[in-house]
Amino acid sequence: MRSFWSLLASVVGLATLLVQAKSSSGDSVLVLLDPSLKRDDFSIFFSGLEEKGYDLTFRSPKDEEPVVIKDDYPQFSHVIIFAPETKSFPKDITPQSLVDLLSKDTNLLLALSPKQTPLTSLASEFSLITPPPGTPLVSHFPERDTPATVIPVNVSHTSPILTPGLPPVWFSGVPFALGTNPLLVPILNAPPESFATDSLGDSDADVVIEASEKGGEGLWAGSQLGLVAGFQPAGGARATWVGGVELFSDEFATKEVSSGVKSGNEQFAADIASWTFQESLVLRVDSIDHHRLNETAPREHYTTNDQIVFTTHISRYNPKTSAWEPYSGIQDLQLEFTMLDPHIRTALPPVPGKPGAYSVTFRAPDRHGVFKFVVDHKRRGWTHLHSSTVIPLVPPRHDEYPRFLSAAWPYYTGAISTSIGFIIFSALWLGGSESKKGKGSKVE
Amino acid sequence: MAVAYSLPSDVSPATVTNTRSLLRIIALALISGAAIASRLFAVINFESIIHEFDPWFNYRATRVLASEGFYEFWNWFDPTAWYPLGRVVGGTIYPGLMATSGVIYNVLHALHLPVDIRNICVLLAPGFSALTAWSTYMFTKEMKDESAGLLAAAFIGIVPGYISRSVAGSYDNEAIAIFLLMFTFFCWIKALKTGSALFGTLAALFYFYMVAAWGGYAFITNMIPLHSLALILMGRYSSRLYVAYSSWYAIGTLASMQVPFVGFQPVRTSEHMAALGVFGLLQIVAFAELVRTHVSSKQFQSLLYASVIGMGILGAGAIIGLTYKGWIAPWTGRFYSLWDTGYAKIHIPIIASVSEHQPTAWPSFFMDLHSLVFLFPAGVVMCFRQLRDEHVFVIIYAVVASYFAGVMVRLMLTLTPVVCVAAAIAFSSLLDTYIEPTEPDVADDSSGKIAETAPAVDAASSGSSTAVSASSSTAKKTKKAPTAPPSVSAVAAAMTPSKKGEKPRGIFGLDTRFIVLLNAVGMLLFFVLHCTWVTSTAYSSPSVVLASQNPDGSQHIIDDFREAYYWLRQNTPENSVVMSWWDYGYQIAGMADRATLVDNNTWNNTHIATVGKAMSSSEEVAYPILRKHDVDYVLIIFGGLLGYSGDDINKFLWMVRIAQGVWPDEIQEPNYFTPKGEYKVDDMASPTMKNSLMYKMSYYRFPELFGTSQAIDRVRGQQIPKAGTTLDYLDEAFTSENWIVRIYQVKKEDILGRDLKSANAFAQGKKRKRTKPPVRRKATV
Amino acid sequence: MLLLAVLAACLLPLCLASSDSDYAKLKQLAAAGNGLIKLDEHSYNILTAPNRNWSATVQFTALDNKRRCTPCRDFDPSFNTVAKAWSTVPAPERDSHFFGTLDFDNGMATFQKLGIQSAPIVRIFPATDGPRRPASGVTTPISYDLTYGYEPGPLAEQLSKYTPVPIPYKAPFDWGRVGTFAAAALVLVTTLRFISPVLRSRWTWAIGTVLTCLVMTSGHMFVRIRGMPMSGPNGQWIAPGFQNQFGQEVQVVAMMYGLLALAFFMLTTVIPYQTSPQRQRVQVYLWSFVIFIMFSVLVSCFRVKNRGYPFRLFL
């Protein structure tokens, strides 16, 4: 029953997707497709993209045109590389140029394969650790009719990238171990009972263990291994690594994971694509505004111990309307007021009633210097928000100090009495008679 | 009466006096002209430009003052200096200089003379040197007479020791400070002679101006009390002294506390305690004198003096006690390093690292003072001949200043005026003696002549009677009868005649006069030549622009600094931060208008040490420091190609030392030497040295310049290994024509979150070795 | 990895034991040499064992006369005094930091191993394990910077950074100096009435002043601060270079200045009192000549120091 509902949900999801939605970063897609792979085998995935409104350009890794990057300027806003067989790419597609694409805000969707390809070496730059060549993922559970390398994988329901309640997806390809890079976003992990090996027979499982022990690599097994992982480079572009191309194939999309339950591959692929192409979970800082309490205009510098109001507006990209909408959903946003080190770190709560606005009022530290308002919000899957505004904090002006201090009254009285005494004395001295003058000189 | 040569006798005295004053005025005008003109070498050889380092900050501050007015200047917080700490400029500078040129600027503009503020700043020092000449004239006039005054003015006008700090373009505090120094001293002497509170107040006002203008005001603050104390000890206390000192101290101190940077120091720090103590002592002595005039009993007087001395000692003890309790700040490091000369090197390397804080060798004395340096002791002795109060001042000044000048090169500046004064006294008395036409007769009947010919002598005899009694206890008694001078030697006896006209005095014959005068004039001529040469060659280069000789002898201008600074100004974002060693902070701020980490105002040791650490540690260690301080560009000075010796590699050890002072367990000076203990940059250099950021930046791509031949550092005269250095965390952004200035850009973090070294390797297509997955399970045996 | 583990497992107790016995040995060695351990190859290796939970300060020196290392012999006493001062602190702290001296003749191999070319050198070996392991984790030996001078005061102050507690070094009270001062003061007071005329005579003061000025203006402070030698090697008395001079130059230059000043003085003040024209004339010529000659000598000296100087008199 439940599966039926999920099916219905996916259908509804499809229906909503049919409303033309585009990426926040352009909709030209280059697909590098191996000759070995038929385009029709992936029709569901590609047509899904085209329905969304992307215009796909197909290109075989062999031919030179169209180039992905010309005169240092990327020609496409998204690149899909389904080239599990290709050993050598043309000169415009090198690991270096792909990283260059990422730095130029082009999104990548890359598929690995058991074979050693240039992409495999590129994966290590993304701190994905690939097993030795020719070792696909194998699992003998659950009992099924498919070969051991074709595995149903349960989808984690925590990842914000995937639509909740997805049925298991079919996977076939290589796993990879995830490095300690905080920019990695694990999307799909291998089933606990699966492992990577080059020998498919059950008999020599011990051999596998022996080998892995000798290699000192530990066993390529278990749920720590990733199958699909996203990567969020600094600069907003997104990259997704998939262990095997077949994940996107029509065959897997239509294949049933269990009787009557279609696999989640189609929706899963669509989710991955929409995340990779910066449709979902895309945020941006619209504006930064700061001013003194009870003022409106920002100053070019503030005075120590001022009460400062800091406001930022954040909006989220809505793929359905392909528009930016104010977003108040972030609950753990923080503001730092730093000079070398954060002098103040405080929560930046959303302002009720003002969609997209986050504001806080705080007292500037009693320390002059060049400070920065820093908003730094990094959550897996979501666009990393970072904004930094430099603002000098100056000591009070000469006329902003208290003019009279009660503590200084002894000095005031001293000064006043002395001057009065001097006036009296000189008056006596000048106007007085002889006797007074004598007294005056005594006084002196 | 015999005369060597006859003077025109039919001239009325009035004419004589008028002509004399007219000539005096003309002479002063000419001297001022010479003083200004000789300082314009810098402008003629190069251009109207602000010189070396500190002047650039003063110039920048002055621009702010001129454009935004005094209050904005006073409250000016400079966010680009000492990034990110910022600098409260108004409270941390002596505003006198800027205020002066600001006033001049406004006056000129009120007169509709649209003069550029830069030209005012450039020409301020020469202008004030003319005033210095005048004030020296006034001062020396008080010492001897007008002729000596004119000589002194001429000397100070062109003496290199003063020109070195006041050529056109060296827009620094000293430019106006020396004038203020001399004029304050003149007012003080005048006040002391006349005992007028007016001149005391004048002295106080100029003292205030001095305080507002230069940190060296402490010299006056201790000089005048020292003089007064000496006078008291010599038993020369007088109401004149009392009035002069009290008015100066009271008003001067109150006024000086109005300067924000000085604030309460005059009552809190030891540098000022001498003045306070002498003030107190003077009150006590004055009181004692007052009492003594009313009672007259020997015992009581002696008791009184004992009590006076006792109270004096008590006061001193109290001051010391307060210092120990911490209510009075002890000597500041800079001041203390004057006494304990080894102090700075150990405790405050920053101070020791400043080149102008080095001790002075005799050649630079001769270079700066030439023949005055040996006329000066003669003049001091002359002062001893007629030991009037003001002469005591000159004597003390001479001793103190010559000590300080020996300890620190820059204090040559304070020595120069007194040298000029003393030398002028000596020289003019020589001329007096030998120009005087009258010849003494062998017979003895020329007392009247002596009276008019040698005013010095009777002045001496009058002075001597008081001077001999060089003790406080018996001053009054000896005042009564002019005692015979102590017979130290025949010479001394000849110099202080106890009775007028006891001996004839004068020179026989013309040839003697002629030879001596010839000698003297020749010496003066030589002096002028020397000064001109020194000024034009040594002291007139604005270290911002360097000059070198082409093979054909023509001048070749090396303009790398401005080239680089203007590159920064034109090609970098407004808000970018530049890191360099502190010497270049002011120039970067002034010419490139970019934020700097540290600059020549070395008040924050830790911040400078941070820069030193970044420069002297390896890339991996330095990079987080650079990022933390938002450094976008790193600027270094490298002279290896041109042989410019004042470059950063030569200053490197200071960076290391200063950094070591703060991080002794991370930076250690010995690691930068070869095992033999040498400081090398060739392939013998120690690994720490080779890995240091400074070394890498200096020699990055340097060997490529030499192609196949061996690369040679022309400053160190050592061969640079061909391998060259690699930089992973910095990009070379700019290198000036002669490689003197090299600017590097700090890379941003890698977009894939790798460390930049491996990112670099990847970009260059190097294969990285296969990594293994993190082992999560212990090996089971 | 496994192999390593096994190795570690079997080595651990062993090395622990060894370090214990070594520790005891070091303690008694230190006690024997009241705070200072006279090291040789063996004890040095013990002291600087890779797994030490104590720290150590080692002085590499060459005291034997045939090594002719004067600085070594200058520095050794102050190092010993500091070590002795350390031996007075309470036992627990004292035994966690050791002072050692390794003489070249006892440890040539070590000297060669460390590539030490010059002596004396002081190295601080931080503890590599145990509680006193430095937080920064840097356990490489730290070289003490001898530019702080050879006196025990700064040495103790600097080394205290690395010892568990500051080294309780107090400069010994200098009775000799105090005594001399007291005696001098006493003599002064007693003879005051006899020498007072001298003190009161302006000419005593004049001579003092003039001498001070002369000495100062001829670079005495430079020689003192920089510690310049009296004269250079191979007996040259005039140092090359503009910003440089020897001790001897001070005397020569001061003498020349003094002579010139004296000549002017004579011309101005003494000669006019000559009654006989002839003698006066002779003196005038004499002194003028002196001025001329001395001045040209001075200028020639200056030319030696400052090559580019274009002017010259007779010589």
Short mmCIF file of all heavy atoms in Angstrom, two decimals, chain A residues 334-354:
data_model
loop_
_atom_site.label_atom_id
_atom_site.label_comp_id
_atom_site.label_asym_id
_atom_site.label_seq_id
_atom_site.Cartn_x
_atom_site.Cartn_y
_atom_site.Cartn_z
N GLN A 334 24.08 32.82 11.88
CA GLN A 334 24.86 33.52 12.92
C GLN A 334 25.57 34.72 12.32
O GLN A 334 25.94 34.72 11.15
CB GLN A 334 25.91 32.58 13.51
CG GLN A 334 25.35 31.62 14.54
CD GLN A 334 26.46 30.93 15.29
OE1 GLN A 334 27.54 30.74 14.75
NE2 GLN A 334 26.20 30.54 16.52
N LEU A 335 25.75 35.74 13.13
CA LEU A 335 26.51 36.92 12.73
C LEU A 335 27.78 36.99 13.58
O LEU A 335 27.72 36.81 14.80
CB LEU A 335 25.70 38.19 12.93
CG LEU A 335 26.49 39.47 12.75
CD1 LEU A 335 26.85 39.67 11.30
CD2 LEU A 335 25.75 40.67 13.29
N GLU A 336 28.91 37.21 12.93
CA GLU A 336 30.16 37.41 13.67
C GLU A 336 30.66 38.82 13.40
O GLU A 336 30.62 39.30 12.27
CB GLU A 336 31.21 36.41 13.21
CG GLU A 336 30.96 35.00 13.67
CD GLU A 336 32.02 34.06 13.16
OE1 GLU A 336 32.86 34.50 12.36
OE2 GLU A 336 32.00 32.89 13.57
N PHE A 337 31.13 39.47 14.46
CA PHE A 337 31.72 40.80 14.35
C PHE A 337 33.19 40.65 14.69
O PHE A 337 33.56 40.52 15.85
CB PHE A 337 31.01 41.75 15.33
CG PHE A 337 31.25 43.19 15.03
CD1 PHE A 337 30.95 43.72 13.80
CD2 PHE A 337 31.77 44.04 16.00
CE1 PHE A 337 31.16 45.06 13.53
CE2 PHE A 337 31.98 45.37 15.73
CZ PHE A 337 31.68 45.88 14.49
N THR A 338 34.01 40.55 13.63
CA THR A 338 35.37 40.07 13.86
C THR A 338 36.41 41.13 13.55
O THR A 338 36.26 41.92 12.61
CB THR A 338 35.67 38.87 12.95
OG1 THR A 338 35.69 39.36 11.60
CG2 THR A 338 34.61 37.82 13.05
N MET A 339 37.45 41.13 14.36
CA MET A 339 38.72 41.75 13.98
C MET A 339 39.79 40.73 14.37
O MET A 339 40.02 40.49 15.55
CB MET A 339 38.94 43.06 14.72
CG MET A 339 40.25 43.71 14.34
SD MET A 339 40.51 45.26 15.18
CE MET A 339 40.84 44.69 16.83
N LEU A 340 40.39 40.09 13.39
CA LEU A 340 41.28 38.95 13.61
C LEU A 340 40.51 37.78 14.20
O LEU A 340 40.45 36.71 13.65
CB LEU A 340 42.44 39.33 14.53
CG LEU A 340 43.44 40.34 13.96
CD1 LEU A 340 44.54 40.59 14.96
CD2 LEU A 340 44.00 39.90 12.64
N ASP A 341 39.89 38.00 15.35
CA ASP A 341 39.04 36.96 15.94
C ASP A 341 37.65 37.54 16.11
O ASP A 341 37.49 38.75 16.22
CB ASP A 341 39.59 36.53 17.30
CG ASP A 341 41.05 36.14 17.20
OD1 ASP A 341 41.36 35.36 16.29
OD2 ASP A 341 41.86 36.64 17.99
N PRO A 342 36.63 36.67 16.15
CA PRO A 342 35.29 37.20 16.41
C PRO A 342 35.20 37.82 17.79
O PRO A 342 35.45 37.16 18.79
CB PRO A 342 34.39 35.96 16.32
CG PRO A 342 35.21 34.93 15.62
CD PRO A 342 36.63 35.22 15.93
N HIS A 343 34.94 39.13 17.83
CA HIS A 343 34.72 39.76 19.14
C HIS A 343 33.30 39.50 19.60
O HIS A 343 33.04 39.47 20.80
CB HIS A 343 34.98 41.26 19.04
CG HIS A 343 36.44 41.60 19.03
ND1 HIS A 343 37.34 41.04 18.15
CD2 HIS A 343 37.17 42.43 19.80
CE1 HIS A 343 38.55 41.51 18.38
NE2 HIS A 343 38.47 42.36 19.37
N ILE A 344 32.39 39.37 18.62
CA ILE A 344 30.99 39.08 18.97
C ILE A 344 30.49 38.01 18.02
O ILE A 344 30.70 38.11 16.81
CB ILE A 344 30.12 40.34 18.83
CG1 ILE A 344 30.43 41.32 19.97
CG2 ILE A 344 28.64 39.97 18.83
CD1 ILE A 344 29.69 42.60 19.87
N ARG A 345 29.89 36.96 18.56
CA ARG A 345 29.24 35.96 17.71
C ARG A 345 27.83 35.75 18.27
O ARG A 345 27.67 35.34 19.42
CB ARG A 345 30.00 34.65 17.69
CG ARG A 345 29.32 33.59 16.83
CD ARG A 345 30.03 32.27 16.91
NE ARG A 345 31.32 32.29 16.20
CZ ARG A 345 32.44 31.82 16.73
NH1 ARG A 345 32.46 31.37 17.94
NH2 ARG A 345 33.56 31.84 16.02
N THR A 346 26.84 36.10 17.46
CA THR A 346 25.48 36.07 17.98
C THR A 346 24.55 35.47 16.94
O THR A 346 24.84 35.48 15.74
CB THR A 346 25.01 37.50 18.34
OG1 THR A 346 23.62 37.44 18.63
CG2 THR A 346 25.20 38.43 17.15
N ALA A 347 23.41 34.95 17.41
CA ALA A 347 22.42 34.37 16.49
C ALA A 347 21.79 35.48 15.68
O ALA A 347 21.61 36.60 16.15
CB ALA A 347 21.35 33.64 17.29
N LEU A 348 21.47 35.15 14.43
CA LEU A 348 20.85 36.13 13.52
C LEU A 348 19.47 35.59 13.16
O LEU A 348 19.29 34.93 12.13
CB LEU A 348 21.72 36.30 12.28
CG LEU A 348 21.41 37.45 11.33
CD1 LEU A 348 21.41 38.76 12.10
CD2 LEU A 348 22.45 37.50 10.24
N PRO A 349 18.48 35.82 14.03
CA PRO A 349 17.18 35.17 13.84
C PRO A 349 16.37 35.85 12.74
O PRO A 349 16.55 37.04 12.46
CB PRO A 349 16.50 35.37 15.20
CG PRO A 349 17.09 36.64 15.70
CD PRO A 349 18.51 36.70 15.19
N PRO A 350 15.48 35.10 12.09
CA PRO A 350 14.58 35.72 11.10
C PRO A 350 13.62 36.68 11.78
O PRO A 350 13.21 36.47 12.92
CB PRO A 350 13.83 34.53 10.51
CG PRO A 350 13.95 33.45 11.52
CD PRO A 350 15.27 33.65 12.18
N VAL A 351 13.30 37.74 11.08
CA VAL A 351 12.38 38.72 11.64
C VAL A 351 10.96 38.28 11.34
O VAL A 351 10.61 38.11 10.17
CB VAL A 351 12.63 40.11 11.01
CG1 VAL A 351 11.74 41.15 11.65
CG2 VAL A 351 14.08 40.48 11.14
N PRO A 352 10.15 38.02 12.37
CA PRO A 352 8.77 37.59 12.10
C PRO A 352 8.02 38.69 11.35
O PRO A 352 8.17 39.87 11.63
CB PRO A 352 8.18 37.38 13.49
CG PRO A 352 9.07 38.15 14.41
CD PRO A 352 10.43 38.13 13.80
N GLY A 353 7.30 38.26 10.32
CA GLY A 353 6.50 39.22 9.56
C GLY A 353 7.25 39.80 8.39
O GLY A 353 6.65 40.34 7.47
N LYS A 354 8.57 39.72 8.41
CA LYS A 354 9.33 40.22 7.25
C LYS A 354 9.99 39.04 6.57
O LYS A 354 10.99 38.52 7.06
CB LYS A 354 10.41 41.21 7.71
CG LYS A 354 9.90 42.61 7.98
CD LYS A 354 11.02 43.65 7.79
CE LYS A 354 10.86 44.82 8.74
NZ LYS A 354 12.15 45.13 9.40
#
